[in-house]
Amino acid sequence: AQRVTQPEKLLSVFKGAPVELKCNYSYSGSPELFWYVQYSRQRLQLLLRHISRESIKGFTADLNKGETSFHLKKPFAQEEDSAMYYCALRSEGQNFVFGPGTRLSVLP
Amino acid sequence: DAGVTQSPTHLIKTRGQHVTLRCSPISGHKSVSWYQQVLGQGPQFIFQYYEKEERGRGNFPDRFSARQFPNYSSELNVNALLLGDSALYLCASSRAGTISGANVLTFGAGSRLTVL
């Protein structure tokens, strides 16, 4: 069965500190992994996906198949990064499985 | 393009009633998916439609049904509403297919359903 876990419900960091949002998955096939973000009073939107290997708003995420992880990282958090972050897995059947989400709070 | 549009934005129903939620995808997107998001949880997959055919179904009872129209818009229907059906219902569209970026979901703002 496909499953995505995000162990932290809430993560608080100070502005300028590094941030890492953890995501682990279970899937027997070859997954596509995504991070979606929801800022206050905005709709859920794509932040980045592993196949692009890109940095968006300073965030990066590396797919580690050995550890079945896709942690989201940023070296210096900004207050505008405060949001709800969801890790998602797309199975070969094309359905997305979302994790429960982590609320990131960046303190001034 | 207005993005993915959903209606209504909010609605209140009582137990046992029926509800229909509507979704218009981004122009050019042929796949529509529906998700249920209960407060404090991530979105849970309900249905995916592509070219008017059901391509996937999540672990939801038969009270939930959906369809996609020739213009790629979609409806989600829920019969015999229960209190536990109270949630934000999200619609997402994608181009689908094998081209790069085709499987990225673009979400609507959602329809918030309250069942009393």
Side-chain angles (χ1 to χ4, degrees), chain A residues 4-43:
Chain A
V4 176
T5 57
Q6 294 177 251
E8 303 127 335
K9 276 197 160 183
L10 173 65
L11 183 63
S12 296
V13 300
F14 286 102
K15 177 183 171 182
V19 63
E20 181 180 48
L21 300 169
K22 291 185 168 52
C23 170
N24 288 89
Y25 67 91
S26 60
Y27 181 58
S28 57
S30 184
E32 283 186 67
L33 274 297
F34 301 77
W35 277 98
Y36 277 80
V37 62
Q38 188 165 28
Y39 301 103
S40 179
R41 285 187 283 277
Q42 294 187 27
R43 56 185 67 186

Side-chain angles (χ1 to χ4, degrees), chain B residues 38-93:
Chain B
V38 174
L39 196 63
Q41 298 181 20
Q44 272 205 298
F45 172 72
I46 309 175
F47 285 109
Q48 185 199 12
Y49 276 78
Y50 176 67
E51 291 280 14
K52 295 172 289 178
E53 290 190 6
E54 182 181 303
R55 288 297 182 91
R57 184 186 182 113
N59 188 23
F60 280 81
D62 292 343
R63 300 184 295 108
F64 289 76
S65 63
R67 54 180 176 167
Q68 186 177 33
F69 300 99
N71 66 354
Y72 303 110
S73 67
S74 178
E75 281 183 355
L76 175 69
N77 295 282
V78 187
N79 293 323
L81 285 167
L82 303 174
L83 296 179
D85 295 331
S86 295
L88 181 68
Y89 288 85
L90 296 168
C91 174
S93 73

Side-chain angles (χ1 to χ4, degrees), chain A residues 2-108:
Chain A
Q2 306 138 31
R3 192 176 176 203
V4 176
T5 57
Q6 294 177 251
E8 303 127 335
K9 276 197 160 183
L10 173 65
L11 183 63
S12 296
V13 300
F14 286 102
K15 177 183 171 182
V19 63
E20 181 180 48
L21 300 169
K22 291 185 168 52
C23 170
N24 288 89
Y25 67 91
S26 60
Y27 181 58
S28 57
S30 184
E32 283 186 67
L33 274 297
F34 301 77
W35 277 98
Y36 277 80
V37 62
Q38 188 165 28
Y39 301 103
S40 179
R41 285 187 283 277
Q42 294 187 27
R43 56 185 67 186
L44 198 57
Q45 59 187 281
L46 176 69
L47 180 62
L48 54 78
R49 51 195 176 123
H50 89 270
I51 60 173
S52 299
R53 302 186 66 82
E54 56 197 346
S55 172
I56 304 292
K57 299 184 179 183
F59 284 97
T60 58
D62 290 319
L63 178 61
N64 185 325
K65 291 187 178 180
E67 295 183 0
T68 60
S69 68
F70 188 56
H71 303 327
L72 183 68
K73 300 176 184 179
K74 184 170 183 177
F76 307 104
Q78 302 300 314
E79 289 182 70
E80 56 265 30
D81 295 329
S82 295
M84 197 75 188
Y85 291 80
Y86 295 96
C87 182
L89 174 155
R90 178 182 168 270
S91 68
E92 289 161 357
Q94 301 195 33
N95 304 327
F96 278 72
V97 176
F98 284 82
T102 297
R103 181 169 296 284
L104 175 64
S105 177
V106 181
L107 308 171

